[in-house]
Amino acid sequence: MTFIAYGAFSPLGRIPPFGKILMKPPVRFAASLLAFLLASCLAWADWKPVGDKIKTRWAQKVTPDNAWREYPRPQMVREDWQNLNGLWDYTVRQRSVPENNTAPETWVGKILVPYCIESSLSGVGRILQPNEELWYQRTFDVSKKNSRKLLHFEAVDYQCEVWINGQRVGTHKGGNTPFSFDVTKAVTEGENTVRLKVIDETADYQLRGKQVRRPGGIYYTRVSGIWQTVWLESVPRTYVKSLRINSDATKGTIDVKTEIDGDADMVPSVKISASFEGREVGSVTGSVKGTRLTVKAPQLWSPDKPNLYDLKVELILRGQTIDVVESYVGIRSVGKHLDANGNWRFTLNGKEIFHLGPLDQGWFPDGLLTPASDEAMVFDIDYLKAAGFNCIRNHIKVRPRRYYAYCDRVGMMIWQDQVSGTPHPKWTRLQPNPKDKDWPDEAHEQFMYELKEMIDYLYNAPSIVSWVPFNEAWGQHRTLEVGKWTVAYDPSRLVNVASGGNFWPVGDVVDHHSYPHPHFPVYDSRFKDYLKVVGEFGGHGFVVDKKHVWNPGAKNWGYGGLPKSKEELLGRYRESIQRMIRLKQAGLAGGIYTQTTDVEAEVNGLMTYDREVQKFPAEELRRLHEKLYAAKLLGKPALPVAAQNKVPVRYTTTEPVGDWMKPGFDDHKWKQGAAGLGAPGTPNANIKTIWNTPRVWIRTSFDYDPIKGKLLLNVFWDENPTIYVNGVVAAKLDGYTAHYELRKISDAAQASLKKGKNTLAIHCQNTLGGQYVDVSLVYE
């Protein structure tokens, strides 16, 4: 069956969500529609969702005839294609040595493609073991063999081998990206049979993200076999194999490189035509090696205005068009610049933009990594957009191409992770002397092969603004090599080499993970040349109702423990955003909240796993996020932190007598030093003066300008300091921190401030562990 999209195959899909799908049956089916419907009904009898786990509302609408019928490749559209989703025969058998590629003699049942065998919607719900192999089979018709035929698999996890009519047509290793085989010589007119063998060990060095054999905690049910669309495409003898599209917001240019496949002696030219909202804005004919089209007064792509241009790409040979594909482009430029305080900030089209988004696991209770439908997939994006997020971190998995096309359309920036593997090095985070794991050459080469495949197939999506090769220290190896390669391979985007991982000086971003509330050592001079982000924070968990939980009888969890009420949950989120505001003012460029939805044992989502309950109403989140976006830089501090300047202080470790904290006190017999007193080895501390006794008393002075507003304390303490301004208690702080925190000054201390010189005094003590104290004063 051939499925054709309305709207002249517009890749932007003028009919939501991307264009309705029309089923155009072959002639022999059209002659007997009754027979077709009867066959469908009989096939349905062999399939139903399995298991008693929760499901999304869209799962109820899934049938073998409507499972993912949409066109799967929105940025390179052709008219002549055939969807091979639906019911396939399947069987599972033991792997053997030597390998047995003989087709199974019997098939145990039907599986609904494109849902993985472990999922409910597959109709099977079975875990594939490492010592097993999964076989698929189905038939399809080829009405006329007057063109080349390409068999596409959007994703198969993990290793597969494919046969057409008993003829081996290819193999693929890697579970997350599309691949295809030219099956022209293997197919015949009429009925054909495709068979597929899959092996998925979920073992060391295999890139698999959060899939594990024994799910629990932050790890989830594994995904094996076909889990995205399978389809057949008809192409001419010489055809457009791929496009590589770049744009420049300043120049208004669109650059297209066209990879072709076909007769070696044919050297066609390429014609590129661009249109905006149905009106052609330009066309140019040039070389397949590179053609530039310049658009006058370009309408740029951004989260606020996600303008997209339709592209038509034609291969021209001797004056005749031999192939046509439709695509689109968003004209935009990704970059970074220094703000007035010397901190690096993200830019889009030359304008500063703070990145705020959720960590998105992309899992669903009914289809696992495969949403029940297109509608189910875009629901999450629509909610996040309504909640005021402007980006999404796609967490250690790759989504269907239609996902990125929808983000392109609605204006959602994406940080795209590479899928992770094991083993891991010691997790040293931002500490000096980072560690890498030693991966063998073969495993590293496969890692790089899959990283390149991901970048190649997602390269044209304007929504993707950053590549993230490693998550935390998961499988982190050869970091400098991987980072330098990624920067060189795609200079049009920013590189966050290891989100929350072991910090190596490569790429554009330094990324720290902090739970439950966000924190970043923004004043650490080692990071002055990088965009500073909190790549994960939050994870505030809450169980709305057991009927919305994956496993009601198991221990469900969130970071920082589960609050007792929804009000407490919202309060925690507000506190996290308030801290993000302070961090942004101090130099932070972006943050990622964990996470979009609950997933299996995790109940720390903005929504429940079945998407039925929004724990955080979108409108309330938007109001909070608008405050974060609007927060302005802190002005020049009245008293800088130790890492920024050498601040002279007087100090003593012997308890003073009299009013030692007041402006008139004579401290000339105290020791001289620099602010930032502490003991070596205290985490994150910038020590300028050694302090290793139980207590210390400190005095310094600062200038205050009342025109600039009220002051805030910016304090890093370990432990229990009392802080005075002009002899008045400004704050008493309990416990200790491992970073700077903004705190309000008491009203009495604020009232004591006068224009010109003022006195700051501190008493700090230490009972165990590290010790450090540094107090900065910033204008509110």
Side-chain angles (χ1 to χ4, degrees):
M1 291 178 285
T2 302
F3 291 83
I4 302 176
Y6 284 119
F9 294 87
S10 168
L12 303 188
R14 300 303 180 193
I15 304 175
F18 291 111
K20 291 182 178 178
I21 301 303
L22 171 69
M23 184 171 70
K24 181 180 179 182
V27 174
R28 70 186 184 93
F29 279 175
S32 182
L33 182 59
L34 182 60
F36 167 71
L37 293 174
L38 179 60
S40 295
C41 291
L42 291 173
W44 283 26
D46 294 329
W47 172 86
K48 65 178 180 179
V50 297
D52 58 359
K53 298 289 189 182
I54 58 172
K55 298 176 179 60
T56 65
R57 72 191 77 161
W58 302 280
Q60 302 171 9
K61 303 176 184 179
V62 173
T63 71
D65 281 347
N66 70 14
W68 281 97
R69 313 313 294 180
E70 297 85 1
Y71 190 80
R73 193 182 59 194
Q75 276 197 290
M76 205 173 88
V77 180
R78 281 193 181 89
E79 179 176 350
D80 198 352
W81 71 288
Q82 184 175 348
N83 192 313
L84 299 182
N85 291 341
L87 291 175
W88 292 48
D89 298 319
Y90 87 96
T91 196
V92 176
R93 69 185 187 189
Q94 293 292 307
R95 295 171 62 186
S96 61
V97 180
E99 192 173 4
N100 177 15
N101 284 333
T102 304
E105 295 181 359
T106 59
W107 302 88
V108 299
K110 299 287 186 179
I111 184 170
L112 183 55
V113 169
Y115 306 105
C116 70
I117 189 172
E118 293 88 353
S119 70
S120 170
L121 286 175
S122 71
V124 180
R126 181 194 192 283
I127 302 295
L128 185 69
Q129 299 300 327
N131 62 344
E132 294 177 327
E133 56 190 33
L134 169 61
W135 284 79
Y136 293 83
Q137 174 180 277
R138 72 157 288 166
T139 60
F140 62 94
D141 286 339
V142 172
S143 56
K144 291 183 180 180
K145 193 177 175 182
N146 58 356
S147 59
R148 296 175 67 176
K149 304 295 181 184
L150 305 179
L151 179 61
H152 296 271
F153 294 87
E154 290 298 295
V156 178
D157 198 344
Y158 179 69
Q159 300 181 58
C160 70
E161 193 164 357
V162 181
W163 294 262
I164 298 287
N165 299 326
Q167 180 178 333
R168 182 175 179 270
V169 295
T171 64
H172 184 262
K173 183 177 181 181
N176 306 283
T177 49
F179 57 95
S180 62
F181 305 115
D182 189 328
V183 298
T184 307
K185 295 180 179 179
V187 298
T188 62
E189 289 189 9
E191 187 174 87
N192 294 265
T193 300
V194 55
R195 292 193 186 98
L196 176 77
K197 183 181 79 170
V198 177
I199 296 171
D200 184 14
E201 295 180 337
T202 312
D204 275 357
Y205 304 113
Q206 178 180 323
L207 305 190
R208 60 187 185 275
K210 289 204 166 185
Q211 302 178 48
V212 292
R213 297 178 190 173
R214 295 182 179 179
I218 63 171
Y219 300 101
Y220 316 138
T221 305
R222 53 190 304 208
V223 169
S224 302
I226 299 170
W227 66 276
Q228 288 189 40
T229 292
V230 184
W231 55 295
L232 188 71
E233 182 179 29
S234 296
V235 298
R237 185 172 177 178
T238 298
Y239 68 98
V240 175
K241 186 175 182 180
S242 69
L243 301 173
R244 195 172 183 91
I245 304 172
N246 283 293
S247 65
D248 188 301
T250 303
K251 300 175 181 178
T253 54
I254 301 168
D255 292 289
V256 181
K257 291 183 180 180
T258 309
E259 181 185 6
I260 63 171
D261 196 330
D263 293 338
D265 59 343
M266 299 176 68
V267 186
S269 58
V270 62
K271 180 181 179 182
I272 311 295
S273 304
S275 61
F276 185 73
E277 296 181 344
R279 180 178 59 85
E280 186 172 297
V281 296
S283 66
V284 63
T285 300
S287 168
V288 294
K289 295 180 180 179
T291 302
R292 171 168 290 184
L293 176 65
T294 301
V295 177
K296 294 181 180 179
Q299 302 296 309
L300 304 182
W301 185 93
S302 70
D304 291 335
K305 294 182 179 180
N307 296 306
L308 295 173
Y309 287 82
D310 285 301
L311 293 182
K312 184 178 181 181
V313 180
E314 302 172 78
L315 276 188
I316 311 293
L317 184 66
R318 303 186 188 98
Q320 299 295 316
T321 298
I322 59 174
D323 191 22
V324 180
V325 295
E326 305 240 354
S327 187
Y328 66 85
V329 62
I331 300 177
R332 60 98 177 98
S333 294
V334 175
K336 60 184 180 180
H337 74 184
L338 286 170
D339 67 19
N341 290 349
N343 297 300
W344 285 101
R345 301 289 181 175
F346 290 107
T347 62
L348 186 66
N349 305 327
K351 297 180 179 179
E352 188 173 303
I353 183 169
F354 186 85
H355 287 200
L356 177 65
L359 190 74
D360 196 288
Q361 308 286 2
W363 291 71
F364 295 79
D366 36 46
L368 300 181
L369 279 181
T370 311
S373 65
D374 211 48
E375 187 181 3
M377 179 184 71
V378 304
F379 177 85
D380 290 1
I381 304 169
D382 287 340
Y383 165 74
L384 297 171
K385 187 73 176 177
F389 292 105
N390 64 12
C391 74
I392 293 171
R393 181 180 166 207
N394 262 329
H395 191 37
I396 48 179
K397 52 92 185 40
V398 183
R399 308 294 291 259
R401 297 191 229 215
R402 294 181 62 81
Y403 178 93
Y404 302 94
Y406 195 74
C407 289
D408 294 341
R409 178 200 251 185
V410 301
M412 184 66 81
M413 297 184 296
I414 294 174
W415 298 10
Q416 180 59 51
D417 288 10
Q418 162 72 324
V419 182
S420 60
T422 55
H424 319 312
K426 180 182 179 182
W427 190 13
T428 58
R429 298 179 182 253
L430 300 182
Q431 295 302 313
N433 305 313
K435 305 297 180 184
D436 264 344
K437 193 67 176 177
D438 184 18
W439 276 35
D441 289 345
E442 182 180 359
H444 173 68
E445 288 168 6
Q446 181 64 28
F447 176 92
M448 294 304 297
Y449 170 78
E450 294 187 43
L451 176 61
K452 182 179 180 297
E453 271 200 336
M454 179 185 73
I455 294 175
D456 285 344
Y457 116 82
L458 295 177
Y459 187 89
N460 296 334
S463 56
I464 296 177
V465 296
S466 177
W467 301 117
V468 186
F470 296 108
N471 170 66
E472 295 179 344
W474 296 12
Q476 191 172 354
H477 69 283
R478 308 190 195 187
T479 306
L480 290 175
E481 177 186 336
V482 172
K484 290 176 181 178
W485 179 90
T486 309
V487 169
Y489 193 66
D490 184 7
S492 71
R493 293 180 172 91
L494 300 170
V495 175
N496 179 352
V497 73
S499 179
N502 298 342
F503 173 70
W504 292 81
V506 66
D508 305 284
V509 178
V510 55
D511 186 325
H512 178 58
H513 292 178
S514 174
Y515 287 105
H517 294 299
H519 155 65
F520 193 99
V522 289
Y523 301 109
D524 193 319
S525 60
R526 292 181 300 137
F527 309 137
K528 62 184 177 61
D529 296 327
Y530 299 89
L531 291 152
K532 296 180 277 285
V533 304
V534 177
E536 293 181 24
F537 73 93
H540 304 304
F542 188 67
V543 176
V544 176
D545 190 301
K546 290 288 186 180
K547 68 181 181 181
H548 299 293
V549 172
W550 173 257
N551 191 347
K555 182 179 180 181
N556 298 290
W557 68 280
Y559 290 95
L562 300 182
K564 296 178 181 179
S565 66
K566 192 171 182 179
E567 289 70 27
E568 183 183 347
L569 173 69
L570 294 173
R572 290 188 187 184
Y573 191 90
R574 293 188 191 101
E575 173 63 22
S576 285
I577 295 301
Q578 184 59 41
R579 296 193 187 198
M580 285 297 296
I581 289 173
R582 295 169 181 169
L583 287 168
K584 179 192 174 185
Q585 292 174 321
L588 197 75
I592 301 294
Y593 179 82
T594 302
Q595 56 193 1
T596 302
T597 71
D598 297 347
V599 185
E600 299 195 0
E602 295 185 51
V603 292
N604 50 11
L606 299 169
M607 295 184 285
T608 54
Y609 196 17
D610 58 7
R611 278 70 171 173
E612 286 302 311
V613 180
Q614 296 176 5
K615 305 179 198 178
F616 299 82
E619 186 54 40
E620 183 163 353
L621 291 180
R622 174 176 284 276
R623 287 195 295 270
L624 287 171
H625 298 161
E626 285 173 350
K627 294 179 181 179
L628 174 56
Y629 293 131
K632 297 180 180 180
L633 295 178
L634 293 174
K636 184 178 180 181
L639 191 65
V641 297
Q644 290 180 319
N645 251 313
K646 186 175 182 180
V647 178
V649 299
R650 293 276 186 170
Y651 72 98
T652 181
T653 56
T654 302
E655 185 170 358
V657 295
D659 295 329
W660 67 273
M661 75 290 293
K662 291 185 177 181
F665 181 77
D666 183 5
D667 59 15
H668 79 278
K669 292 184 178 181
W670 288 19
K671 298 177 182 178
Q672 297 183 55
L677 284 77
T682 302
N684 303 321
N686 192 303
I687 296 171
K688 297 292 182 69
T689 302
I690 299 296
W691 162 49
N692 52 18
T693 61
R695 296 193 292 173
V696 67
W697 290 260
I698 307 167
R699 288 171 54 88
T700 190
S701 62
F702 63 94
D703 285 318
Y704 173 63
D705 183 353
I707 294 176
K708 294 182 179 179
K710 294 182 178 180
L711 290 179
L712 292 171
L713 295 167
N714 189 24
V715 193
F716 184 159
W717 75 92
D718 186 352
E719 53 199 78
N720 302 326
T722 301
I723 302 169
Y724 303 85
V725 171
N726 295 328
V728 180
V729 175
K732 288 185 177 182
L733 305 175
D734 295 327
Y736 67 94
T737 63
H739 50 79
Y740 288 90
E741 290 193 4
L742 287 174
R743 294 300 174 98
K744 289 185 177 181
I745 293 176
S746 69
D747 291 341
Q750 197 81 238
S752 76
L753 289 167
K754 60 183 185 298
K755 185 176 181 179
K757 290 289 182 185
N758 292 263
T759 298
L760 176 73
I762 308 158
H763 172 222
C764 193
Q765 55 191 301
N766 179 67
T767 56
L768 83 138
Q771 58 190 97
Y772 184 73
V773 64
D774 183 40
V775 178
S776 165
L777 291 163
V778 297
Y779 289 97
E780 191 172 50

